[in-house]
Structure formats: structure tokens, C-alpha cells
Amino acid sequence: MAAIGAQVQRAETGDSLARARQRAALLPDLLVEARRILNTVNTGWHGRRKSGVGETFWQFRPYAQGEAISRIDWRRSARDDRTYIRDQEWEAAHTVWLWADSSPSMLYKSEHAPVSKESRALVLVLALCELLSRSGERIGFPGVTDPISARNGAERLATLLAHTSTLQPQPDFSKVRRFSDVVLVSDFLEPVEDTLALLQRLVQAGARAHLIEVYDPAEEDFPYKRRTEFLDPETGESLTFGRAEDYAEDYRRLFYARRETISNFCRRLGWSYTANRTDRLASDALVSVHMNMTASIGYEGNGA
């Protein structure tokens, strides 16, 4: 049988400490990678980029009839024939919860991918933490830290993750409050009804969610041929096919149907769903999620 990817060992209770040590060893490099990715896409990003109450200058724009005269910048207006308003940038702190799936299936890395799904998920979470912390947002990680505001948020989160022996298999939303944003990074390979039940708890909490599906190229392409043994990393159960290629079409149909079901659920609520393949740039997902988080659409009228 041809080896397509690295075999994932099922994590027993007694191996939790060893798994935590492996994660701790990875985090310094992942933090560096997260900052590198952020620096490649960070040009022009600053805060929430909305007009509002704040002390930071954002832009000059033409005066519109009916606006308060007190907002006119007379010095700028004196330089040409137009009247200008001086806008300040909105600086209200916002709460964002970040969570990366730590289940055994996230350890998978095929020969077609440069990194495991777990590594990609942690890089995305740390990059988002760095970006949002620079904007003054409060960042939390369920089961690890309550929301805090700190310019070195990514470094602090990486330290906390390195010293956490056991991460929760599912995020605890009990502390999520209305109008918060929640970013979930996972492969979402559990039964679809379990994922939807998890998301429904965020609907009830009145939060807005942004899902990032991290997946390996082999999980989408199904490159398996001839006799192949498939192992479930969660349960250790195995399934052997004599001609794996005969099941490729049905597998892909189910793979995309699962994604479509979850993404449609998110779309109806005004949430976002981003898919990121581990052989492609992490920055693509970072840009997409950031744009969705800072979009003008949000809680109004969507029930979330």
C-alpha cells in the first residue's frame, strides 16, 4: 500500500503531556511564521478603518450638507476651494474569540502538503491575534484565556498555549457575549449535525462567527489507488479498500456537500466561511477573514 500521508497516532489520555510538549516546541517557530505572514499582507491595514469616536486621525473628506460645522477642518479647507471634514478613526475596543482545533485529525500531513493542519491552524490564529491586538481589540481563547487587550497579544497567547497541557476538544462558548466575533479554525470533519449544533450555540449567544476550514490536499483530491487502508485518528478504527480509486467520486461528492452545508448555514446568518488548503498560502485565508470581520455588514438584521 502506497503511503500518501503521515499516519496520525491516536492520543491516549496518558499521552496528553507528550502532545502538549510537542505543541510547545512548535509554537516559537509558528509565532515567527505568523508574524512573517502578517507582515506580507499588513500594508494599509489599521484598526477598523471606520469613522467614529477616537483620537487618531483617519482622513479628510468633503463636507456634506447637514453635517456639524464644528467638524470642519478650516486649515485644510483654506488650501483649496472645497470644505473638508476631519474624520477620526473609530477606536472602540471589540472582543474577538479565537480557537484552533486540537483534535487528532488535525495532525495529518500528506506528502503533498508542507505543513500539518494543526500547524496551519495555529499560524492563522496567532497571525489574527497579532493583527487584532495591534488594533486594540480584546482577544480570548476559550479554555485558555479570557479576552485581554495587549499589543503583544500573539506572544502572550503562544506562551499560554505552550503551557496548557490539555486543550478542549470543543470550544466552550459560555463566556461569549453578544456582539462578539468568534473565529473557529478546524477541519470540521466531525459529523455535520455536530458542527451545526455547535454553531447554534453561538447564534443563541448573539455572536458573529467566522469559520476557517483547514484541509490537506489529499483530503480533497483523494489520490488513493489500489489497496489502501484508512485509519480514523479519533477512534483508531481502520477500513481497507481493494480498489480505493473506485470510491473517489462518491468521496468527493460527500466532501463538498459537507462544506456546502456548513457554509450555507453561515451565509444565512451573515457569517463568513473560508477554506484554506495547506499547500496554499495562509495569507489568503488571513486576508479573507480580516475583510469579513471589518465589513460594514454585521449584526444588524441577521439575528446573529
Side-chain angles (χ1 to χ4, degrees):
M1 292 181 288
I4 298 296
Q7 181 176 337
V8 179
Q9 298 295 330
R10 186 158 52 102
E12 302 291 349
T13 304
D15 296 332
S16 297
L17 182 59
R19 174 78 186 277
R21 287 172 176 168
Q22 292 175 350
R23 185 174 62 250
L26 285 174
L27 279 165
D29 290 339
L30 296 182
L31 180 59
V32 171
E33 175 67 7
R35 286 173 170 164
R36 184 194 67 78
I37 293 170
L38 178 58
N39 288 334
T40 65
V41 298
N42 198 34
T43 303
W45 286 358
H46 180 64
R48 290 272 169 171
R49 305 308 295 173
K50 292 183 181 179
S51 175
V53 178
E55 299 179 356
T56 304
F57 169 73
W58 177 19
Q59 65 178 0
F60 290 116
R61 61 174 178 81
Y63 170 79
Q65 186 174 2
E67 294 189 274
I69 297 178
S70 60
R71 298 186 60 199
I72 295 176
D73 189 286
W74 296 107
R75 180 177 299 179
R76 174 65 183 86
S77 301
R79 297 213 298 263
D80 56 33
D81 296 331
R82 305 187 68 178
T83 303
Y84 289 92
I85 292 289
R86 180 185 180 91
D87 269 341
Q88 308 300 111
E89 186 173 350
W90 180 58
E91 295 178 347
H94 189 63
T95 297
V96 181
W97 291 89
L98 305 175
W99 179 78
D101 189 353
S102 61
S103 60
S105 67
M106 295 294 289
L107 294 173
Y108 182 71
K109 183 182 85 68
S110 74
E111 61 184 13
H112 307 291
V115 296
S116 69
K117 293 186 290 182
E118 180 186 51
S119 294
R120 175 58 57 86
L122 287 171
V123 163
L124 287 170
V125 161
L126 292 172
L128 278 169
C129 186
E130 182 82 359
L131 171 63
L132 296 170
S133 295
R134 292 180 185 180
S135 301
E137 314 291 26
R138 295 187 298 268
I139 309 300
F141 192 111
V144 176
T145 177
D146 289 338
I148 57 173
S149 180
R151 289 291 177 177
N152 63 338
E155 184 175 347
R156 294 182 63 165
L157 178 58
T159 301
L160 290 170
L161 288 171
H163 289 85
T164 301
S165 59
T166 304
L167 295 177
Q168 298 172 333
Q170 284 197 337
D172 179 7
F173 295 143
S174 61
K175 295 184 178 181
V176 174
R177 298 294 178 259
R178 187 170 175 80
F179 302 133
S180 298
D181 276 289
V182 180
V183 180
L184 304 175
V185 190
S186 172
D187 54 16
F188 299 109
L189 289 181
E190 64 271 24
V192 172
E193 55 270 21
D194 292 349
T195 299
L196 297 182
L198 179 71
L199 298 178
Q200 191 62 41
R201 287 156 51 192
L202 287 177
V203 175
Q204 296 169 355
R208 180 175 63 173
H210 307 274
L211 277 62
I212 305 177
E213 177 195 337
V214 175
Y215 63 104
D216 189 276
E219 292 175 329
E220 180 176 43
D221 299 337
F222 199 83
Y224 310 101
K225 297 180 180 180
R226 299 181 296 278
R227 182 178 175 84
T228 306
E229 180 185 22
F230 296 91
L231 298 176
D232 186 336
E234 308 288 341
T235 65
E237 295 180 359
S238 66
L239 182 64
T240 301
F241 291 140
R243 286 176 53 86
E245 61 268 30
D246 293 344
Y247 299 88
E249 184 176 350
D250 289 338
Y251 168 84
R252 295 190 192 102
R253 186 182 303 113
L254 290 172
F255 181 85
Y256 293 125
R258 170 196 56 85
R259 177 183 294 169
E260 184 176 4
T261 299
I262 301 173
S263 61
N264 285 342
F265 178 91
C266 294
R267 192 177 301 113
R268 288 196 300 270
L269 293 167
W271 297 357
S272 70
Y273 190 96
T274 302
N276 185 238
R277 217 166 106 142
T278 53
D279 62 342
R280 295 173 184 165
L281 296 175
S283 57
D284 292 344
L286 183 63
V287 171
S288 177
V289 172
H290 181 265
M291 293 294 290
N292 286 317
M293 293 183 69
T294 56
S296 58
I297 62 171
Y299 308 106
E300 297 82 7
N302 62 22

Short mmCIF file of all heavy atoms in Angstrom, two decimals, residues 28-70:
data_model
loop_
_atom_site.label_atom_id
_atom_site.label_comp_id
_atom_site.label_asym_id
_atom_site.label_seq_id
_atom_site.Cartn_x
_atom_site.Cartn_y
_atom_site.Cartn_z
N PRO A 28 7.14 28.50 19.11
CA PRO A 28 8.04 29.62 18.77
C PRO A 28 8.20 29.80 17.27
O PRO A 28 8.15 30.93 16.76
CB PRO A 28 9.36 29.22 19.45
CG PRO A 28 8.94 28.36 20.59
CD PRO A 28 7.77 27.58 20.08
N ASP A 29 8.40 28.71 16.53
CA ASP A 29 8.54 28.81 15.08
C ASP A 29 7.24 29.24 14.42
O ASP A 29 7.24 30.01 13.45
CB ASP A 29 8.99 27.47 14.49
CG ASP A 29 10.43 27.12 14.85
OD1 ASP A 29 11.18 28.06 15.20
OD2 ASP A 29 10.78 25.94 14.80
N LEU A 30 6.11 28.76 14.95
CA LEU A 30 4.82 29.13 14.38
C LEU A 30 4.52 30.61 14.62
O LEU A 30 3.90 31.27 13.78
CB LEU A 30 3.71 28.27 14.99
CG LEU A 30 3.79 26.77 14.70
CD1 LEU A 30 2.59 26.05 15.32
CD2 LEU A 30 3.84 26.51 13.20
N LEU A 31 4.97 31.14 15.74
CA LEU A 31 4.78 32.56 16.02
C LEU A 31 5.59 33.40 15.03
O LEU A 31 5.10 34.42 14.52
CB LEU A 31 5.19 32.88 17.46
CG LEU A 31 5.06 34.34 17.90
CD1 LEU A 31 3.62 34.82 17.77
CD2 LEU A 31 5.54 34.49 19.35
N VAL A 32 6.80 32.99 14.76
CA VAL A 32 7.64 33.68 13.77
C VAL A 32 6.98 33.64 12.40
O VAL A 32 6.92 34.64 11.67
CB VAL A 32 9.05 33.07 13.72
CG1 VAL A 32 9.84 33.65 12.56
CG2 VAL A 32 9.78 33.31 15.03
N GLU A 33 6.46 32.46 12.03
CA GLU A 33 5.79 32.31 10.74
C GLU A 33 4.53 33.17 10.67
O GLU A 33 4.25 33.80 9.64
CB GLU A 33 5.44 30.85 10.51
CG GLU A 33 4.64 30.56 9.25
CD GLU A 33 5.43 30.82 7.97
OE1 GLU A 33 6.64 31.10 8.06
OE2 GLU A 33 4.82 30.74 6.89
N ALA A 34 3.78 33.24 11.76
CA ALA A 34 2.57 34.06 11.79
C ALA A 34 2.91 35.53 11.57
O ALA A 34 2.23 36.23 10.81
CB ALA A 34 1.85 33.88 13.12
N ARG A 35 3.97 36.01 12.20
CA ARG A 35 4.36 37.41 12.03
C ARG A 35 4.89 37.67 10.63
O ARG A 35 4.66 38.74 10.06
CB ARG A 35 5.41 37.77 13.08
CG ARG A 35 4.81 37.93 14.47
CD ARG A 35 5.86 38.12 15.54
NE ARG A 35 5.24 38.50 16.81
CZ ARG A 35 5.86 38.44 17.98
NH1 ARG A 35 7.12 38.01 18.04
NH2 ARG A 35 5.23 38.80 19.09
N ARG A 36 5.57 36.69 10.06
CA ARG A 36 6.06 36.85 8.68
C ARG A 36 4.89 36.98 7.72
O ARG A 36 4.88 37.85 6.84
CB ARG A 36 6.93 35.66 8.29
CG ARG A 36 7.55 35.78 6.90
CD ARG A 36 8.12 34.47 6.43
NE ARG A 36 7.08 33.48 6.18
CZ ARG A 36 6.32 33.48 5.08
NH1 ARG A 36 6.46 34.41 4.16
NH2 ARG A 36 5.38 32.57 4.93
N ILE A 37 3.89 36.12 7.88
CA ILE A 37 2.71 36.17 7.02
C ILE A 37 1.97 37.49 7.20
O ILE A 37 1.56 38.13 6.22
CB ILE A 37 1.78 34.99 7.33
CG1 ILE A 37 2.44 33.67 6.92
CG2 ILE A 37 0.43 35.15 6.64
CD1 ILE A 37 1.70 32.45 7.40
N LEU A 38 1.83 37.91 8.44
CA LEU A 38 1.13 39.17 8.70
C LEU A 38 1.83 40.34 8.06
O LEU A 38 1.19 41.23 7.47
CB LEU A 38 1.00 39.38 10.21
CG LEU A 38 0.32 40.68 10.65
CD1 LEU A 38 -1.09 40.78 10.07
CD2 LEU A 38 0.28 40.76 12.17
N ASN A 39 3.15 40.37 8.13
CA ASN A 39 3.90 41.49 7.56
C ASN A 39 3.79 41.56 6.04
O ASN A 39 3.94 42.63 5.46
CB ASN A 39 5.37 41.39 7.97
CG ASN A 39 5.59 41.70 9.44
OD1 ASN A 39 4.80 42.42 10.05
ND2 ASN A 39 6.63 41.14 10.02
N THR A 40 3.51 40.42 5.40
CA THR A 40 3.38 40.44 3.93
C THR A 40 2.04 41.00 3.48
O THR A 40 1.90 41.40 2.33
CB THR A 40 3.54 39.02 3.35
OG1 THR A 40 2.47 38.19 3.81
CG2 THR A 40 4.87 38.42 3.75
N VAL A 41 1.05 41.02 4.37
CA VAL A 41 -0.29 41.47 3.96
C VAL A 41 -0.76 42.68 4.76
O VAL A 41 -1.87 43.16 4.57
CB VAL A 41 -1.32 40.33 4.13
CG1 VAL A 41 -0.97 39.17 3.24
CG2 VAL A 41 -1.45 39.89 5.57
N ASN A 42 0.08 43.19 5.64
CA ASN A 42 -0.36 44.20 6.60
C ASN A 42 -0.35 45.62 6.06
O ASN A 42 -0.82 46.53 6.71
CB ASN A 42 0.51 44.13 7.87
CG ASN A 42 -0.15 44.82 9.04
OD1 ASN A 42 -1.36 44.82 9.18
ND2 ASN A 42 0.67 45.44 9.87
N THR A 43 0.19 45.84 4.88
CA THR A 43 0.28 47.19 4.35
C THR A 43 -1.11 47.79 4.19
O THR A 43 -1.98 47.23 3.55
CB THR A 43 0.97 47.18 2.97
OG1 THR A 43 2.26 46.59 3.12
CG2 THR A 43 1.12 48.60 2.45
N GLY A 44 -1.31 48.94 4.81
CA GLY A 44 -2.58 49.64 4.67
C GLY A 44 -3.63 49.25 5.68
O GLY A 44 -4.66 49.91 5.77
N TRP A 45 -3.39 48.19 6.46
CA TRP A 45 -4.37 47.81 7.46
C TRP A 45 -4.10 48.60 8.73
O TRP A 45 -2.98 48.73 9.19
CB TRP A 45 -4.24 46.33 7.80
CG TRP A 45 -4.78 45.44 6.75
CD1 TRP A 45 -5.38 45.78 5.58
CD2 TRP A 45 -4.76 44.00 6.77
NE1 TRP A 45 -5.74 44.68 4.87
CE2 TRP A 45 -5.37 43.57 5.57
CE3 TRP A 45 -4.29 43.05 7.67
CZ2 TRP A 45 -5.53 42.23 5.26
CZ3 TRP A 45 -4.44 41.72 7.36
CH2 TRP A 45 -5.05 41.31 6.17
N HIS A 46 -5.17 49.11 9.29
CA HIS A 46 -5.00 49.82 10.55
C HIS A 46 -6.36 49.90 11.23
O HIS A 46 -7.31 50.46 10.70
CB HIS A 46 -4.47 51.24 10.33
CG HIS A 46 -4.30 52.01 11.62
ND1 HIS A 46 -3.41 51.64 12.59
CD2 HIS A 46 -4.93 53.10 12.08
CE1 HIS A 46 -3.48 52.49 13.60
NE2 HIS A 46 -4.40 53.38 13.33
N GLY A 47 -6.45 49.32 12.38
CA GLY A 47 -7.68 49.42 13.14
C GLY A 47 -8.87 48.89 12.36
O GLY A 47 -8.77 48.02 11.52
N ARG A 48 -10.02 49.43 12.66
CA ARG A 48 -11.25 49.03 11.99
C ARG A 48 -11.55 49.90 10.79
O ARG A 48 -12.46 49.64 10.03
CB ARG A 48 -12.42 49.10 12.97
CG ARG A 48 -12.35 48.03 14.03
CD ARG A 48 -13.03 46.76 13.57
NE ARG A 48 -12.74 45.67 14.48
CZ ARG A 48 -13.33 44.51 14.41
NH1 ARG A 48 -14.19 44.25 13.46
NH2 ARG A 48 -13.04 43.55 15.26
N ARG A 49 -10.79 50.98 10.61
CA ARG A 49 -10.95 51.86 9.45
C ARG A 49 -12.38 52.33 9.29
O ARG A 49 -12.98 52.23 8.24
CB ARG A 49 -10.47 51.18 8.17
CG ARG A 49 -9.05 50.66 8.21
CD ARG A 49 -8.06 51.69 8.64
NE ARG A 49 -7.96 52.79 7.70
CZ ARG A 49 -7.25 53.89 7.93
NH1 ARG A 49 -6.62 54.04 9.08
NH2 ARG A 49 -7.20 54.84 7.03
N LYS A 50 -12.96 52.84 10.37
CA LYS A 50 -14.28 53.43 10.32
C LYS A 50 -14.25 54.77 11.01
O LYS A 50 -13.53 54.99 11.97
CB LYS A 50 -15.32 52.53 11.03
CG LYS A 50 -15.59 51.21 10.32
CD LYS A 50 -16.67 50.44 11.05
CE LYS A 50 -16.95 49.11 10.37
NZ LYS A 50 -17.98 48.33 11.10
N SER A 51 -15.07 55.66 10.51
CA SER A 51 -15.20 56.96 11.13
C SER A 51 -15.95 56.82 12.45
O SER A 51 -16.95 56.10 12.53
CB SER A 51 -15.95 57.92 10.20
OG SER A 51 -16.18 59.15 10.85
N GLY A 52 -15.48 57.53 13.48
CA GLY A 52 -16.17 57.44 14.76
C GLY A 52 -15.40 58.17 15.84
O GLY A 52 -14.52 58.99 15.57
N VAL A 53 -15.74 57.84 17.10
CA VAL A 53 -15.09 58.49 18.23
C VAL A 53 -13.69 57.92 18.41
O VAL A 53 -13.50 56.71 18.46
CB VAL A 53 -15.92 58.26 19.51
CG1 VAL A 53 -15.22 58.90 20.70
CG2 VAL A 53 -17.32 58.83 19.33
N GLY A 54 -12.71 58.81 18.51
CA GLY A 54 -11.34 58.36 18.70
C GLY A 54 -10.41 59.55 18.63
O GLY A 54 -10.81 60.67 18.31
N GLU A 55 -9.14 59.30 18.94
CA GLU A 55 -8.15 60.37 18.94
C GLU A 55 -7.23 60.30 17.73
O GLU A 55 -6.44 61.21 17.50
CB GLU A 55 -7.31 60.30 20.22
CG GLU A 55 -8.14 60.48 21.50
CD GLU A 55 -7.29 60.39 22.75
OE1 GLU A 55 -6.07 60.11 22.59
OE2 GLU A 55 -7.81 60.60 23.85
N THR A 56 -7.30 59.23 16.95
CA THR A 56 -6.40 59.03 15.83
C THR A 56 -7.00 59.59 14.55
O THR A 56 -8.14 59.25 14.19
CB THR A 56 -6.10 57.52 15.65
OG1 THR A 56 -5.57 57.01 16.87
CG2 THR A 56 -5.08 57.33 14.53
N PHE A 57 -6.23 60.43 13.85
CA PHE A 57 -6.70 60.97 12.57
C PHE A 57 -6.81 59.86 11.54
O PHE A 57 -5.94 59.00 11.44
CB PHE A 57 -5.71 62.04 12.08
CG PHE A 57 -5.96 62.47 10.66
CD1 PHE A 57 -7.05 63.25 10.33
CD2 PHE A 57 -5.12 62.04 9.64
CE1 PHE A 57 -7.29 63.64 9.02
CE2 PHE A 57 -5.35 62.41 8.33
CZ PHE A 57 -6.43 63.22 8.01
N TRP A 58 -7.91 59.89 10.76
CA TRP A 58 -8.11 58.90 9.72
C TRP A 58 -8.00 59.54 8.35
O TRP A 58 -7.13 59.20 7.56
CB TRP A 58 -9.48 58.22 9.90
CG TRP A 58 -9.81 57.21 8.83
CD1 TRP A 58 -8.93 56.61 7.97
CD2 TRP A 58 -11.10 56.71 8.50
NE1 TRP A 58 -9.60 55.74 7.13
CE2 TRP A 58 -10.93 55.79 7.43
CE3 TRP A 58 -12.38 56.93 9.01
CZ2 TRP A 58 -12.01 55.10 6.88
CZ3 TRP A 58 -13.44 56.23 8.45
CH2 TRP A 58 -13.25 55.34 7.40
N GLN A 59 -8.84 60.52 8.05
CA GLN A 59 -8.86 61.07 6.70
C GLN A 59 -9.55 62.43 6.67
O GLN A 59 -10.29 62.80 7.58
CB GLN A 59 -9.63 60.13 5.77
CG GLN A 59 -11.12 60.03 6.13
CD GLN A 59 -11.90 59.13 5.18
OE1 GLN A 59 -11.35 58.58 4.24
NE2 GLN A 59 -13.21 59.00 5.43
N PHE A 60 -9.25 63.19 5.62
CA PHE A 60 -10.04 64.36 5.25
C PHE A 60 -11.03 63.93 4.18
O PHE A 60 -10.68 63.17 3.28
CB PHE A 60 -9.15 65.48 4.69
CG PHE A 60 -8.27 66.13 5.72
CD1 PHE A 60 -6.89 66.03 5.63
CD2 PHE A 60 -8.81 66.85 6.77
CE1 PHE A 60 -6.07 66.63 6.56
CE2 PHE A 60 -8.00 67.45 7.72
CZ PHE A 60 -6.62 67.35 7.61
N ARG A 61 -12.25 64.45 4.25
CA ARG A 61 -13.23 64.18 3.20
C ARG A 61 -14.10 65.42 3.00
O ARG A 61 -14.24 66.26 3.91
CB ARG A 61 -14.10 62.97 3.55
CG ARG A 61 -14.92 63.12 4.82
CD ARG A 61 -15.86 61.94 5.02
NE ARG A 61 -16.61 62.06 6.27
CZ ARG A 61 -17.69 62.80 6.42
NH1 ARG A 61 -18.15 63.54 5.42
NH2 ARG A 61 -18.30 62.86 7.60
N PRO A 62 -14.70 65.57 1.83
CA PRO A 62 -15.51 66.76 1.55
C PRO A 62 -16.69 66.89 2.50
O PRO A 62 -17.31 65.89 2.88
CB PRO A 62 -15.98 66.53 0.11
CG PRO A 62 -14.97 65.61 -0.48
CD PRO A 62 -14.54 64.71 0.64
N TYR A 63 -16.98 68.09 2.90
CA TYR A 63 -18.11 68.39 3.78
C TYR A 63 -19.42 68.12 3.05
O TYR A 63 -19.57 68.44 1.86
CB TYR A 63 -18.04 69.85 4.21
CG TYR A 63 -19.26 70.37 4.93
CD1 TYR A 63 -19.46 70.08 6.27
CD2 TYR A 63 -20.21 71.14 4.27
CE1 TYR A 63 -20.58 70.56 6.94
CE2 TYR A 63 -21.33 71.63 4.92
CZ TYR A 63 -21.51 71.33 6.26
OH TYR A 63 -22.62 71.81 6.91
N ALA A 64 -20.37 67.49 3.73
CA ALA A 64 -21.70 67.23 3.17
C ALA A 64 -22.71 68.09 3.90
O ALA A 64 -22.63 68.28 5.13
CB ALA A 64 -22.06 65.75 3.31
N GLN A 65 -23.68 68.61 3.18
CA GLN A 65 -24.68 69.50 3.75
C GLN A 65 -25.42 68.79 4.90
O GLN A 65 -25.82 67.64 4.78
CB GLN A 65 -25.69 69.92 2.69
CG GLN A 65 -26.69 70.98 3.18
CD GLN A 65 -27.58 71.48 2.05
OE1 GLN A 65 -27.47 71.02 0.92
NE2 GLN A 65 -28.45 72.43 2.37
N GLY A 66 -25.55 69.49 6.00
CA GLY A 66 -26.23 68.95 7.16
C GLY A 66 -25.30 68.47 8.25
O GLY A 66 -25.74 68.23 9.38
N GLU A 67 -24.02 68.31 7.94
CA GLU A 67 -23.06 67.88 8.96
C GLU A 67 -22.71 69.04 9.88
O GLU A 67 -22.82 70.22 9.52
CB GLU A 67 -21.79 67.33 8.31
CG GLU A 67 -22.01 66.04 7.54
CD GLU A 67 -20.71 65.42 7.10
OE1 GLU A 67 -20.20 65.79 6.03
OE2 GLU A 67 -20.19 64.55 7.83
N ALA A 68 -22.29 68.69 11.09
CA ALA A 68 -21.96 69.71 12.08
C ALA A 68 -20.80 70.58 11.62
O ALA A 68 -19.76 70.05 11.19
CB ALA A 68 -21.63 69.05 13.42
N ILE A 69 -20.97 71.88 11.71
CA ILE A 69 -19.92 72.82 11.29
C ILE A 69 -18.67 72.64 12.15
O ILE A 69 -17.54 72.86 11.69
CB ILE A 69 -20.43 74.27 11.35
CG1 ILE A 69 -21.60 74.44 10.36
CG2 ILE A 69 -19.32 75.26 11.06
CD1 ILE A 69 -22.20 75.84 10.39
N SER A 70 -18.86 72.20 13.40
CA SER A 70 -17.73 72.05 14.31
C SER A 70 -16.73 71.00 13.83
O SER A 70 -15.59 70.99 14.28
CB SER A 70 -18.23 71.68 15.71
OG SER A 70 -18.96 70.46 15.67
#
